[in-house]
Amino acid sequence: MDLESVGDLAIHMIMENLKPEDIATISCVSNRFRSFTSDDTLWFKICSTELSLTQPIDHLGNPLPSFKEAYQTWREAFVMYPWSLVKRVKRCWDNIKTWLANNFPEAKDTLCQGASEAEIQELEDVLHVKLPLPTRILYRFHNGQEIEKLDPDTNAFGTSLGIIGGYSFYDHLVNVYLLPISQVIQETQQISQNLGFLRRSKNLLTNRDMMPCVPHNLISLHHELDSEEIQDAMLLWLEEHGRRLQRGFIKLLDEGNARSINLFPEELPLCSTAVTNGVQVRASALVIPELADLQDEGQKYLFSYSIRLSLQPQGCVINGMSYRSCQLYWRHWIIHANDVVVSDVDGEAVIGMYPLLRPGDKEFVYQSCASLPTSSGSVEGSFTFVPGRLVDPRGDPFLATVARFPLQLPDYIY
């Protein structure tokens, strides 16, 4: 029995289990097979499986008349790259954009269309660099964020719409967004011309002292490797960021009219939670890479920590008595570098404030910082609260525990 005598259903089932390259080859066998290979339901399944497409579009989001044409357009657009790496980069972007669409659409709207090969080549020529394949593909999908165009009154470095997110403590505010290629060129040239940059950024003085942003042993750039294994720091970094967003490890911070991705960890083991007499204290920390000084043996690493205080619905409960409010009066911190106590601090208030907690109110959140000579340590302590108000106490003061939370240099630095 030859293939021409095989029934249509059987042929269709065979086609569904072939690779796209094999389907293209079979289409050349006969007019009948060419008709089967043109069935758009077949190409819909391929586009759905390989690219998670639900509509026939190209990599820039432009609509196309069929899934077959969509697949051909994608393959032609990325013909110079390993296809498995292209699919991996798309999954990375899809994870981030799905979270942004569901939680932070105004930030998703700032993503630019993908860069052209000519734009990427211009960056390499002007800056005399060779971008790794994963970074090139990442920029082919989205050429950074167009922050200033969306909000012309916003200073780019002060925006809250960075897809990487940020942190703040005291008057230090950071929000990281993905630079377009033109801005990468411009700012790199400015930095290169400013020789004082190296003197100010002490963590960049030598390769030996640079602070890696991802685990170095994971980086694999050798093109002779299987394309599934090629990965650079930027792809690893963005993949991890997408996982943290999807898992709720980091969350959106809503402060009045401004929303931003808050990089302070929200989950165990890096975020601790303790409840004492109805007072809940959540605490976590992160390293501040731009203020690290790897030449300073006494204070190499600066960590910022975020404290969130709230009163549970039952109020403040002491010895069976319930109070509808309580107010912070005192703090006590014990800071460790590794297992050695380097600071034992008692002080009134927190950042000059005496927060009043009531059931149903938003968390009172504040940030502070601590320097360590080591890349790991911890903080623990307590807050002294008064039931009622400080000016009208309704009971004896009590201690609310701050469970130990880590200060540590992470594998992935943002």
Side-chain angles (χ1 to χ4, degrees), residues 60 62 64 87 91-93 100 145 152 190 193 225 228 261 266 275 281 290 310 346 350 356 371 403-404:
L60 299 176
N62 300 313
L64 295 170
K87 292 188 289 184
R91 287 195 300 270
C92 173
W93 271 122
L100 291 173
Q145 290 181 263
Q190 291 175 351
Q193 293 167 4
L225 291 172
E228 290 277 0
I261 296 173
E266 293 282 347
V275 179
V281 182
E290 68 275 13
S310 62
D346 282 284
V350 290
L356 178 69
S371 295
R404 179 178 290 202

Side-chain angles (χ1 to χ4, degrees), residues 276-290:
T276 309
N277 296 340
V279 174
Q280 177 175 277
V281 182
R282 299 193 304 123
S284 62
L286 49 78
V287 69
I288 309 300
E290 68 275 13

Side-chain angles (χ1 to χ4, degrees), residues 87-141:
K87 292 188 289 184
R88 178 178 172 182
V89 171
K90 185 179 185 298
R91 287 195 300 270
C92 173
W93 271 122
D94 285 348
N95 285 338
I96 293 174
K97 291 195 294 183
T98 297
W99 186 91
L100 291 173
N102 293 332
N103 299 277
F104 201 14
E106 60 267 41
K108 181 176 181 290
D109 291 342
T110 68
L111 287 171
C112 303
Q113 281 200 338
S116 66
E117 284 295 313
E119 289 174 307
I120 295 173
Q121 189 62 50
E122 179 188 8
L123 181 148
E124 294 187 336
D125 292 343
V126 172
L127 300 183
H128 306 291
V129 298
K130 186 68 175 175
L131 294 181
L133 291 183
T135 293
R136 292 179 67 101
I137 302 172
L138 283 163
Y139 267 94
R140 285 292 308 275
F141 278 92

Side-chain angles (χ1 to χ4, degrees), residues 132-351:
L133 291 183
T135 293
R136 292 179 67 101
I137 302 172
L138 283 163
Y139 267 94
R140 285 292 308 275
F141 278 92
H142 289 290
N143 185 11
Q145 290 181 263
E146 206 164 11
I147 297 291
E148 293 176 321
K149 180 178 178 181
L150 185 72
D151 185 358
D153 297 326
T154 298
N155 181 301
F157 290 101
T159 181
S160 65
L161 297 178
I163 63 168
I164 305 303
Y167 43 84
S168 64
F169 61 98
Y170 304 145
D171 60 351
H172 188 77
L173 171 65
V174 171
N175 193 271
V176 182
Y177 70 99
L178 189 62
L179 293 177
I181 282 178
S182 60
Q183 199 169 345
V184 171
I185 295 173
Q186 177 186 354
E187 296 195 12
T188 302
Q189 289 176 325
Q190 291 175 351
I191 289 172
S192 299
Q193 293 167 4
N194 185 358
L195 298 180
F197 171 80
L198 292 177
R199 290 191 293 271
R200 290 197 303 275
S201 297
K202 298 178 182 178
N203 60 320
L204 297 176
L205 279 175
T206 66
N207 287 335
R208 176 179 58 84
D209 292 321
M210 287 183 71
M211 191 182 296
C213 65
V214 303
H216 185 72
N217 63 311
L218 295 181
I219 297 174
S220 300
L221 300 178
H222 301 295
H223 292 190
E224 62 269 18
L225 291 172
D226 186 283
S227 56
E228 290 277 0
E229 300 175 3
I230 299 175
Q231 52 191 19
D232 67 349
M234 187 170 180
L235 177 57
L236 289 165
W237 192 60
L238 285 174
E239 285 178 330
E240 175 65 15
H241 186 55
R243 286 190 290 268
R244 293 183 184 202
L245 290 170
Q246 294 285 358
R247 296 171 183 172
F249 187 78
I250 54 178
K251 296 181 179 179
L252 205 62
L253 178 65
D254 194 341
E255 291 184 319
N257 295 327
R259 303 202 304 164
S260 63
I261 296 173
N262 180 23
L263 293 179
F264 283 104
E266 293 282 347
E267 301 290 339
L268 289 170
L270 299 183
C271 181
S272 72
T273 301
V275 179
T276 309
N277 296 340
V279 174
Q280 177 175 277
V281 182
R282 299 193 304 123
S284 62
L286 49 78
V287 69
I288 309 300
E290 68 275 13
L291 297 181
D293 185 351
L294 302 187
Q295 309 303 305
D296 187 338
E297 293 299 324
Q299 297 182 334
K300 283 188 177 183
Y301 301 97
L302 181 69
F303 295 88
S304 177
Y305 53 86
S306 176
I307 308 297
R308 298 82 130 180
L309 305 171
S310 62
L311 191 57
Q312 295 193 320
Q314 70 271 22
C316 176
V317 180
I318 304 175
N319 297 326
M321 294 290 293
S322 179
Y323 303 91
R324 301 305 297 167
S325 67
C326 60
Q327 192 164 11
L328 185 146
Y329 171 62
W330 199 263
R331 72 185 186 282
H332 178 213
W333 288 124
I334 302 174
I335 301 174
H336 298 81
N338 291 331
D339 294 323
V340 178
V341 175
V342 293
S343 183
D344 192 328
V345 179
D346 282 284
E348 192 172 327
V350 290
I351 61 170

Side-chain angles (χ1 to χ4, degrees), residues 5-60:
S5 63
V6 177
D8 290 354
L9 179 59
I11 291 291
H12 187 77
M13 292 176 64
I14 292 171
M15 294 284 188
E16 285 188 335
N17 290 281
L18 295 178
K19 295 179 180 180
E21 297 83 355
D22 297 327
I23 294 174
T25 301
I26 288 176
S27 69
C28 302
V29 172
S30 68
N31 289 334
R32 182 186 180 216
F33 285 173
R34 184 177 297 111
S35 175
F36 277 114
T37 60
S38 297
D39 183 353
D40 214 40
T41 60
L42 178 65
W43 292 100
F44 164 75
K45 182 177 180 181
I46 292 171
C47 287
S48 175
T49 301
E50 294 198 9
L51 297 167
S52 299
L53 295 183
T54 57
Q55 297 178 344
I57 56 175
D58 66 13
H59 72 287
L60 299 176

